[in-house]
C-alpha cells in the first residue's frame, strides 16, 4: 500500500487530495491547524487508513511529529504533498513585517522544512514523489499579492532545486501551479472584494473572475487532486523539477 503525507488536509485542495488518495488505496497522514475540520474528515472514514495530526506547519517540531506519526502508523511514506498555505492581501504600500513573515513562513519556509523532515522516511525504491502546491503566481503577478506572489515564485525555484538534490535518491519533485480554485482561501478574498466593490454580492466577483479564464470558469479542488495524484504516481515516472499549470488557460494568454 502507498502512503501519502499531506499538509493542510482539512479543507480545500488538501482535503480533495486526502479523499482522492484514500479512494485509490493509499493510506494518508495529514497535518492541519484546523482541528474541527480535520476531526470531521477523519470521522467520515472508519477503515483506519487515515491519520490526523492537529498542528501548525510553521512549527518544525509539529511537522516532524506529524511525519513520524504517519510513519509509525503505516510503516512508510512514499508521497509528500506540501500543500498548506495562506493568502493575505498586501502591496508595496501597505505591507507590514508581520504579514510578510506569516505568509513567507507558512507558504515557503514550512514547505522547505516539511520536505527536510520527510526525506529520511521517503522510500525511493517504491516511487518516492513530492508535490508542492505553488500557484499561477509562479509566472504572473496579481494585484495586492506581494508576499503571496513572492512565496509562490520562491516555491517554483525550490521545486527545481530540491528535484535536482533528490534525483539520485529516485525521489521526484514537482509543483502544481493552480489558477483560481473555489476553496475557503479563495472565497474569503472574493468576499472581501465583494464587500468593497459590489455591496457584498460575491456572485459578481466570481462572474468577473471567470471572464479572465479562456475556459470561462474557475477550477475545482477535485480537478487539482487528479493532477496531484498523477504527479505522485508512477505514471509520471519521468517528470521531475516541473512546474505544472492547472489554470484553465489563465497564464496562456
Ligand atoms: P484552504 O484554505 O481551503 O486550505 C488550506 C488548508 O491549510 C486549511 O485546512 C488550513 O487550515 C491549512 N493551513 C493553513 N495554514 C496552516 C498552518 N500554519 N498549519 C497547518 N495548517 C495550515 O485553501 P486552498 O485553496 O485549498 O489552499 C491550499 C493551497 O493551494 C495553498 O498553498 C494555496 O496557496 C494554494 N493555491 C490555492 C489556489 C486557490 O485559488 N484556492 C490557487 C493557487 C494555489
Amino acid at each position: 500500500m502507498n502512503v501519502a503525507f499531506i499538509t493542510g488536509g482539512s479543507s480545500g485542495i488538501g482535503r480533495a487530495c486526502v479523499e482522492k488518495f484514500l479512494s485509490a488505496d493509499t493510506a494518508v497522514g495529514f497535518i492541519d491547524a484546523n482541528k474541527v475540520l480535520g476531526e470531521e474528515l477523519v470521522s467520515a472514514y472508519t477503515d483506519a487508513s487515515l491519520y490526523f495530526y492537529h498542528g501548525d506547519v510553521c512549527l518544525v517540531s509539529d511537522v516532524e511529529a506529524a511525519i513520524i506519526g504517519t510513519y509509525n502508523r503505516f510503516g512508510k511514506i512514499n508521497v509528500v504533498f506540501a500543500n498548506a498555505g495562506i493568502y493575505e492581501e498586501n502591496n508595496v504600500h501597505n505591507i507590514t513585517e508581520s504579514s510578510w513573515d506569516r505568509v513567507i513562513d507558512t507558504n515557503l519556509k514550512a514547505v522547505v522544512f516539511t520536505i527536510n523532515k520527510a526525506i529520511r522516511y521517503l522510500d525511493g525504491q517504491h516511487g518516492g514523489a513530492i508535490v508542492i502546491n505553488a500557484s499561477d503566481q509562479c509566472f504572473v503577478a496579481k494585484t495586492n499579492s506581494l508576499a503571496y506572489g513572492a512565496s509562490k515564485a520562491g516555491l517554483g525555484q525550490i521545486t527545481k532545486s530540491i528535484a535536482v538534490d533528490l534525483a539520485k535518491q529516485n525521489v521526484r519533485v514537482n509543483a502544481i501551479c493552480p489558477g483560481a480554485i473555489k476553496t475557503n482561501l479563495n472565497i474569503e478574498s472574493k468576499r472581501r472584494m465583494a464587500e468593497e466593490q459590489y455591496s457584498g454580492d460575491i456572485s459578481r466577483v466570481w462572474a468577473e473572475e471567470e471572464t479572465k479564464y479562456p475556459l470561462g470558469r474557475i477550477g475545482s479542488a477535485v480537478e487539482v487532486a487528479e493532477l496531484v495524484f498523477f504527479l505522485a504516481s508512477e505514471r509520471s515516472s519521468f517528470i521531475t523539477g516541473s512546474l505544472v499549470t492547472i489554470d484553465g488557460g489563465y497564464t496562456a494568454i
Side-chain angles (χ1 to χ4, degrees):
M1 185 191 260
N2 288 327
V3 181
F5 175 73
I6 296 177
T7 68
S10 288
S11 85
I13 295 168
R15 188 185 182 105
C17 288
V18 169
E19 292 174 338
K20 173 69 191 175
F21 280 105
L22 288 174
S23 76
D25 287 331
T26 301
V28 177
F30 73 99
I31 180 172
D32 202 292
N34 191 323
K35 192 167 187 253
V36 173
L37 287 181
E39 287 178 348
E40 179 196 293
L41 181 55
V42 170
S43 68
Y45 289 88
T46 50
D47 63 357
S49 49
L50 184 57
Y51 165 80
F52 171 48
Y53 185 95
H54 173 230
D56 181 350
V57 291
C58 297
L59 299 174
V60 178
S61 55
D62 275 7
V63 173
E64 190 168 24
I67 291 167
I68 291 171
T70 302
Y71 186 82
N72 288 343
R73 172 73 73 92
F74 302 118
K76 68 172 180 180
I77 296 174
N78 49 358
V79 171
V80 173
F81 180 38
N83 161 73
I86 56 169
Y87 171 76
E88 292 190 16
E89 235 176 78
N90 49 52
N91 59 50
V92 72
H93 300 291
N94 64 19
I95 183 79
T96 62
E97 193 177 354
S98 58
S99 181
W100 177 267
D101 287 346
R102 267 194 307 277
V103 174
I104 298 296
D105 278 2
T106 312
N107 294 4
L108 195 57
K109 184 181 135 189
V111 170
V112 171
F113 285 96
T114 295
I115 296 169
N116 170 265
K117 294 301 171 194
I119 290 168
R120 80 187 64 167
Y121 301 98
L122 269 177
D123 182 3
Q125 292 279 317
H126 299 97
I130 296 170
V131 182
I132 293 173
N133 198 343
S135 162
D136 55 7
Q137 292 185 54
C138 277
F139 308 110
V140 293
K142 294 189 179 175
T143 50
N144 289 319
S145 201
L146 181 67
Y148 185 86
S151 70
K152 296 299 184 176
L155 288 181
Q157 184 56 36
I158 281 169
T159 300
K160 295 179 190 180
S161 177
I162 300 177
V164 172
D165 287 345
L166 296 187
K168 282 198 177 64
Q169 278 177 242
N170 195 29
V171 172
R172 297 177 301 102
V173 186
N174 293 291
I176 58 161
C177 302
I181 308 297
K182 228 173 211 173
T183 63
N184 290 340
L185 175 143
N186 209 340
I187 290 166
E188 280 310 310
S189 72
K190 295 292 179 292
R191 193 167 285 139
R192 283 192 295 275
M193 286 166 76
E195 292 301 333
E196 284 161 21
Q197 295 169 28
Y198 301 115
S199 315
D201 184 356
I202 197 168
S203 65
R204 291 184 63 187
V205 181
W206 288 121
E208 190 181 293
E209 179 89 358
E210 282 168 355
T211 64
K212 299 175 187 163
Y213 285 76
L215 284 184
R217 65 177 178 85
I218 304 301
S220 74
V222 169
E223 289 175 303
V224 179
E226 290 296 329
L227 175 61
V228 174
F229 184 74
F230 170 71
L231 290 172
S233 77
E234 277 297 287
R235 294 169 76 179
S236 60
S237 52
F238 200 51
I239 304 179
T240 196
S242 291
L243 314 182
V244 184
T245 53
I246 173 160
D247 67 357
Y250 182 86
T251 55
I253 51 174

